[in-house]
Amino acid sequence: MAYKLLSEPIRKYIREKRWDKLRPIQAAAIPKILETNNHYILASHTASGKTEAAFLPIISKVNFNEVGVQVLYISPLIALINDQFKRIEDLCKNLEIDVTKWHGEANRSLKKKLIKDPQGIVLITPESIEAMFVNAPYNVVTLFKNLKFIVIDEIHSFLGVDRGLQLMSLLFRLKERTNAQFAIIGLSATIGNENFLEIKKITGDVERTKVLVDKTKKITKAYFKYFENKGKEYGLDLLKDLYLETNHSKTLVFPNSRAKTEEIAVKLRRISDKVGGHKNYFSHHSSVDKEIRESVENFAKTNERFNFCISCTSTLELGIDIGTVDKVVQIDSTFSVSSLVQRIGRSGRKEGESSNVIIYTTTKWSFLQSLACWGLYEKDFLEPLRISEKAYDILLHQLLSIAKQNSGIKQAELINFIILNPVFKLIRQNEVEEIIEECLKLEYLEKIRDEIILGLEGEYIVNSKDFYSVFKTEENFKVSSQGRKIGEMPFSPQIEVGENILLAARIWKIKDVDFNSNKIEVIPANDGKPPTYSGTGGNIHPEIRKEMFRILKSNFSYPELNENCKSILEELRFEFKHFTINDFSRDVPIVLKENSILVYTFSGSKINKSIKFIFAILGYESLLDENNSSLDINSNLDDLKGIFTSNIKSKIDLDLAIKEALLENKTFLNFSKWGVYLPVFYQIEIIKDRYFDFDGAYSFLEKSRLVLQDI
DNA sequence: GACCTGCTGCGGGCTG
């Protein structure tokens, strides 16, 4: 049915590919895209043919003889653009449609050629769109004035993050600048019912956006193993077991940090060398050199014969094509259910194959958390994500970008343009005015007669290559060996001549350090330590903690646990045996200690941080342990009960406390690259909006009942 | 107790 609607060249393409039938998401999308002008979100699991579901009907529908770029494909990753380029070019090969890559590493003369003769399909990143607006806004019109479709790949990766807000703003600016009438097609992995409304908001027109979902779920087999970690590094028992588990298959191992990724890769390789196993052990994360990463991806994708093991971080979570793997190993719990879903989806990618995951854990609370994530995965729960409605920091970034783009814009016009942008819908006009006033005062912007232009400080900020992205990056040392790039590592005391490090699944000795140009020269060595990388800690969703609580208080037995896991679960359940819990949403176990009280909140990280902050305002210091979601509060029982039962909200001045905390500790705002340029009042607002969850914390304190152990 | 993502313009040197 859907097949017949496609144009003849596309049907020919399908016949040549010998596809016997269209995939479900393709069959659903083709008639909708061909016959309506709606925006669509195509949600379907990895490797289910989403790219073709969008491009088969788009190429059928669009007349590529018209002047101007007809289709703009936006991707969060350069690597994905390079992957998709091959697929889309293959689709277009008999149709004389030009496909052009447009990102920071793409060929410049091909970009120039496109500007001279704008046509076909362009593959781009959000930052490159931003750069075009800032440096060559006339090109935006030349290229895109006749645009018919925008395809956004991995659109879920933009949901609930600053980069998504930037993308929303850019989509609006694109439409306003070019007057083009385009439809938006978002491609997404599973997003969960909870997120349909939020993901529709990205197009800027919820009413016109429809979601098409393929709910087919693959069978997943999971097995849990437990090896208590005693030292800093993994124990030999775990490594040996992991080796036997992985040496006869194609495997991905996810150990949750770059340092541990290196440790696993190097140590498994060493075991393999000793027993004469295969040598295909790799590490893959952001600090491994790009070319090495590409060669690892390529090995996995093209090699049929040999087994391999890639130890990796979330770099291999998104849609980069690495072919099929037999098995996924997770070491200690993921920080979210959606991360677990993506990682599991990496195995058994062929239709009809089941996915296989083995979960190793090394601490009892990590074990419980991973069991909770697995339980929620089976119940089809995914963390709900929320588009920030008062993104004053992104607003400031876009103000500077728009000022540069227009080189002179009337103040009223600038304000109006911001107000009309759906991404800033809930920011009031007087707030925009106030932020502009502050920008004028600090010379980010300047007013000449009634026109706004970039100020001196603003020029300095916008003319940096760091301007185009809304996320922060750390500065690193570049590591190379005899002219060959290995990767990067951040500054640490470990950077010293003679020290040995692990990187790109190999051991190296530092031969030379150049502190002026941040370069490290290394030679191969035999033994070393993983480099230390710093991170800030993730946010666990409350539902994961609730599930942990439920598991603790249930008698359910899990066939997917090995004997060690079973006894750890018993141990944990025994610890909580004497708490009588009637209502998981209200009852809070507490333990009286000598000078403090231990409160098991079983709530999310943001709520925990907020509760700690509230207690600090009230004069009670506390220690937060995110492993078991507990707060050890320096308080007595009467005080604690008082705080839990009274209306705390009215008694504290949150804004004042955050202001003081900000003065004391500037790193508070580290999550926001552009927040530092805002007036303090707005900094406080974004901290409340994105760092904390005070509504969640107040509601927790109000409804909770403290439960002591039965005697 | 974390992970990830992106990038201009210009000038100089080299290659085809």
mmCIF file of all heavy atoms in Angstrom, chain A residues 20 52 67 95 171 241 405 408 484 600:
data_model
loop_
_atom_site.group_PDB
_atom_site.id
_atom_site.type_symbol
_atom_site.label_atom_id
_atom_site.label_comp_id
_atom_site.label_asym_id
_atom_site.label_seq_id
_atom_site.Cartn_x
_atom_site.Cartn_y
_atom_site.Cartn_z
ATOM 1 N N ASP A 20 11.739 -7.217 0.983
ATOM 2 C CA ASP A 20 10.467 -7.884 0.678
ATOM 3 C C ASP A 20 9.278 -7.121 1.249
ATOM 4 O O ASP A 20 8.175 -7.179 0.729
ATOM 5 C CB ASP A 20 10.483 -9.353 1.127
ATOM 6 C CG ASP A 20 10.879 -9.503 2.586
ATOM 7 O OD1 ASP A 20 11.326 -8.489 3.183
ATOM 8 O OD2 ASP A 20 10.753 -10.605 3.117
ATOM 9 N N GLU A 52 15.059 5.862 6.447
ATOM 10 C CA GLU A 52 14.333 5.627 5.198
ATOM 11 C C GLU A 52 12.857 5.988 5.336
ATOM 12 O O GLU A 52 12.247 6.472 4.385
ATOM 13 C CB GLU A 52 14.474 4.165 4.755
ATOM 14 C CG GLU A 52 15.855 3.787 4.253
ATOM 15 C CD GLU A 52 16.875 3.600 5.376
ATOM 16 O OE1 GLU A 52 16.474 3.581 6.558
ATOM 17 O OE2 GLU A 52 18.078 3.495 5.064
ATOM 18 N N VAL A 67 15.241 25.776 -7.263
ATOM 19 C CA VAL A 67 16.454 26.404 -6.740
ATOM 20 C C VAL A 67 16.423 26.403 -5.210
ATOM 21 O O VAL A 67 15.371 26.552 -4.606
ATOM 22 C CB VAL A 67 16.561 27.868 -7.246
ATOM 23 C CG1 VAL A 67 17.792 28.547 -6.642
ATOM 24 C CG2 VAL A 67 16.628 27.890 -8.755
ATOM 25 N N LEU A 95 19.270 9.733 -8.888
ATOM 26 C CA LEU A 95 18.285 10.801 -9.011
ATOM 27 C C LEU A 95 18.904 12.175 -9.228
ATOM 28 O O LEU A 95 18.213 13.174 -9.287
ATOM 29 C CB LEU A 95 17.422 10.847 -7.735
ATOM 30 C CG LEU A 95 16.565 9.601 -7.520
ATOM 31 C CD1 LEU A 95 16.016 9.560 -6.119
ATOM 32 C CD2 LEU A 95 15.438 9.591 -8.526
ATOM 33 N N LEU A 171 15.329 26.926 14.919
ATOM 34 C CA LEU A 171 14.266 26.560 13.984
ATOM 35 C C LEU A 171 13.343 27.753 13.746
ATOM 36 O O LEU A 171 12.952 28.045 12.615
ATOM 37 C CB LEU A 171 13.456 25.369 14.518
ATOM 38 C CG LEU A 171 14.159 24.012 14.572
ATOM 39 C CD1 LEU A 171 13.282 22.976 15.274
ATOM 40 C CD2 LEU A 171 14.530 23.526 13.175
ATOM 41 N N ASP A 241 35.995 -13.565 35.317
ATOM 42 C CA ASP A 241 34.638 -13.950 34.937
ATOM 43 C C ASP A 241 34.192 -13.185 33.691
ATOM 44 O O ASP A 241 33.626 -13.748 32.760
ATOM 45 C CB ASP A 241 33.684 -13.667 36.100
ATOM 46 C CG ASP A 241 32.337 -14.311 35.874
ATOM 47 O OD1 ASP A 241 31.471 -13.667 35.234
ATOM 48 O OD2 ASP A 241 32.154 -15.459 36.317
ATOM 49 N N GLN A 405 23.776 38.869 14.150
ATOM 50 C CA GLN A 405 23.159 38.505 12.874
ATOM 51 C C GLN A 405 22.610 39.727 12.147
ATOM 52 O O GLN A 405 22.764 39.872 10.941
ATOM 53 C CB GLN A 405 22.021 37.493 13.139
ATOM 54 C CG GLN A 405 21.158 37.171 11.939
ATOM 55 C CD GLN A 405 19.832 36.540 12.351
ATOM 56 O OE1 GLN A 405 19.712 35.955 13.412
ATOM 57 N NE2 GLN A 405 18.830 36.672 11.503
ATOM 58 N N GLY A 408 22.488 45.599 13.879
ATOM 59 C CA GLY A 408 21.608 46.763 13.996
ATOM 60 C C GLY A 408 20.156 46.349 13.941
ATOM 61 O O GLY A 408 19.653 45.989 12.886
ATOM 62 N N ARG A 484 51.746 10.213 16.349
ATOM 63 C CA ARG A 484 50.424 9.598 16.255
ATOM 64 C C ARG A 484 49.559 10.052 17.439
ATOM 65 O O ARG A 484 49.969 9.923 18.595
ATOM 66 C CB ARG A 484 50.558 8.083 16.265
ATOM 67 C CG ARG A 484 49.251 7.417 15.990
ATOM 68 C CD ARG A 484 49.388 5.907 15.925
ATOM 69 N NE ARG A 484 48.068 5.339 15.765
ATOM 70 C CZ ARG A 484 47.558 4.413 16.578
ATOM 71 N NH1 ARG A 484 48.260 3.930 17.554
ATOM 72 N NH2 ARG A 484 46.333 3.958 16.379
ATOM 73 N N TYR A 600 16.334 7.856 55.086
ATOM 74 C CA TYR A 600 16.345 7.258 53.740
ATOM 75 C C TYR A 600 15.211 7.871 52.929
ATOM 76 O O TYR A 600 14.055 7.503 53.102
ATOM 77 C CB TYR A 600 16.171 5.741 53.822
ATOM 78 C CG TYR A 600 17.389 5.012 54.337
ATOM 79 C CD1 TYR A 600 17.480 4.622 55.674
ATOM 80 C CD2 TYR A 600 18.442 4.721 53.475
ATOM 81 C CE1 TYR A 600 18.599 3.953 56.146
ATOM 82 C CE2 TYR A 600 19.567 4.049 53.943
ATOM 83 C CZ TYR A 600 19.646 3.672 55.270
ATOM 84 O OH TYR A 600 20.744 3.013 55.725
#
